[in-house]
Amino acid sequence: MNVVISSIVPGGAGIRVFELRACDAGPLPAYAAGAHIDVSLPNGLTRQYSLCCREPSGNTYRIAVKREPQSRGGSDWLHAQAQAGSVLQISHPRNAFALTANAGMHLLLAGGIGITPILSMAYELLRRGQPFRLLYFVRDDSSIAFAEELTASPLAPQVRIFSGLSPQQSAAAIASTLDADAQLAADVQVYTCGPGAFMNSVVELAQARFGVASVHKESFSLTPPGPSTAAFVLRLIRSERDIAVAADQTALACLQAAGIEIDCSCEVGVCGTCRTVVTDGIAQHHDAYLSPAEKLANNCFMPCVSRAATAVLSIDL
Ligand code: FES
């Protein structure tokens, strides 16, 4: 659907907050906290942004975009080119990061721009009247997004902001919060969004205390390079073609160069759009979309980032 940017306001250092409205000014689809939309930009790129409205229904969406130093064109365009009145195409909201229905305590941990889905969740938990705490880790005070909302009632009593901590100090703060909540509530659910290293730390500490099923994460960041970048061959079983993937190429780029149509969106292994069925060989997963169990099952992979651990990987294309 098409939307128009109705306002742009600064949201902290290097962050712009966009309000979007339907071009016909009608209502936008409702969604649950934690949802994101795909935003198709006029430069041909598609990027995912979490919705961070106070209310998950109404006539506007709100997204916040941090200008990434290594932007491949998404955040750059939204910072340098986008202006009020620009028209964007967006998808319906999708949610792979939903809140559980109930918990003794919902612990929300955000790092940097990862505050966006976490903010929606905090508002949702306020509406539900369910217990929660929000821990927000930022590089420095100027990097705090949504500072006014987070430090004013009604969210403020549940929010703690940690500014300028080292990774070790952050891990210690997270561990002590988790330990404190483990004493207070029987069922603690943990949600985290932020840079990869931050989320890894949260996930490791939280899973050790509350188990794998109680820890939920959302990631829109670049997947770190995998351990191997060996060349391999993609065997397309339906079209009976072999496509070579060199060490410095992605499987997706090679498929596209060979004229194979394949849906894709984020191109960094987080959205699941390019999911492709594997029929033989062993995939080497580098995405942040599939669960550990799905990766072990070895029946699909994400060609935008994932590769092959065998010389040949047969896929259902
Ligand atoms: S395009 Fe998003 S996971 Fe591949």
Side-chain angles (χ1 to χ4, degrees), residues 237-289:
I237 55 168
R238 274 190 280 142
S239 44
E240 299 184 341
R241 293 176 64 182
D242 278 359
I243 294 174
V245 181
D248 61 350
Q249 293 176 303
T250 66
L252 178 66
C254 294
L255 289 167
Q256 290 170 330
I260 308 295
E261 280 194 20
I262 181 162
D263 290 340
C264 62
S265 177
C266 70
E267 299 183 36
V268 292
V270 298
C271 74
T273 306
C274 68
R275 182 177 184 146
T276 301
V277 170
V278 170
T279 60
D280 199 15
I282 298 173
Q284 185 185 70
H285 299 284
H286 299 303
D287 65 277
Y289 180 82

Side-chain angles (χ1 to χ4, degrees), residues 6-315:
S6 45
S7 77
I8 305 174
V9 295
I15 298 170
R16 293 182 107 188
V17 179
F18 297 82
E19 184 188 77
L20 311 174
R21 289 179 184 272
C23 288
D24 64 3
L28 290 165
Y31 63 92
H36 69 271
I37 51 172
D38 290 349
V39 179
S40 300
L41 304 170
N43 63 4
L45 296 173
T46 300
R47 294 290 180 262
Q48 288 75 42
Y49 295 105
S50 293
L51 293 166
C52 51
C53 315
R54 294 174 196 238
E55 298 277 347
S57 60
N59 289 359
T60 60
Y61 284 162
R62 183 169 68 160
I63 60 173
V65 180
K66 180 174 166 54
R67 190 169 206 162
E68 300 294 348
Q70 295 174 329
S71 170
R72 296 174 309 138
S75 66
D76 255 357
W77 192 90
L78 284 161
H79 274 260
Q81 308 285 326
Q83 48 191 287
S86 297
V87 172
L88 304 172
Q89 193 178 41
I90 65 169
S91 68
H92 272 63
R94 289 185 285 170
N95 199 341
F97 190 46
L99 286 164
T100 55
N102 275 301
M105 170 63 74
H106 297 270
L107 250 185
L108 312 176
L109 293 105
I113 196 62
I115 187 65
T116 50
I118 295 292
L119 185 63
S120 286
M121 290 172 151
Y123 280 124
E124 172 63 20
L125 291 166
L126 268 182
R127 273 190 295 278
R128 291 186 192 177
Q130 293 184 356
F132 76 95
R133 287 210 281 158
L134 194 168
L135 276 61
Y136 182 22
F137 294 79
V138 290
R139 181 175 308 165
D140 52 46
D141 288 354
S142 73
S143 305
I144 300 171
F146 303 107
E148 279 182 23
E149 291 177 40
L150 291 167
T151 56
S153 189
L155 287 180
Q158 315 307 329
V159 173
R160 185 145 178 229
I161 298 176
F162 299 83
S163 178
L165 299 190
S166 69
Q168 293 74 19
Q169 290 170 323
S170 295
I174 293 164
S176 82
T177 301
L178 297 176
D179 286 338
D181 283 346
Q183 304 293 322
L184 290 176
D187 176 18
V188 178
Q189 296 288 317
V190 179
Y191 308 83
T192 184
C193 186
F198 170 81
M199 286 197 297
N200 290 343
S201 175
V202 171
V203 167
E204 188 180 324
L205 292 165
Q207 286 185 345
R209 288 160 174 81
F210 307 118
V212 173
S214 298
V215 184
H216 318 269
K217 70 171 186 172
E218 176 78 304
S219 171
F220 295 130
S221 60
L222 288 169
T223 305
S228 161
T229 54
F232 62 99
V233 171
L234 279 175
R235 181 152 295 156
L236 280 52
I237 55 168
R238 274 190 280 142
S239 44
E240 299 184 341
R241 293 176 64 182
D242 278 359
I243 294 174
V245 181
D248 61 350
Q249 293 176 303
T250 66
L252 178 66
C254 294
L255 289 167
Q256 290 170 330
I260 308 295
E261 280 194 20
I262 181 162
D263 290 340
C264 62
S265 177
C266 70
E267 299 183 36
V268 292
V270 298
C271 74
T273 306
C274 68
R275 182 177 184 146
T276 301
V277 170
V278 170
T279 60
D280 199 15
I282 298 173
Q284 185 185 70
H285 299 284
H286 299 303
D287 65 277
Y289 180 82
L290 295 173
S291 67
E294 288 172 319
K295 289 177 180 175
L296 266 181
N298 190 50
N299 53 24
C300 65
F301 89 134
M302 305 295 162
C304 62
V305 291
S306 295
R307 306 184 63 80
T310 45
V312 178
L313 188 71
S314 299
I315 56 176

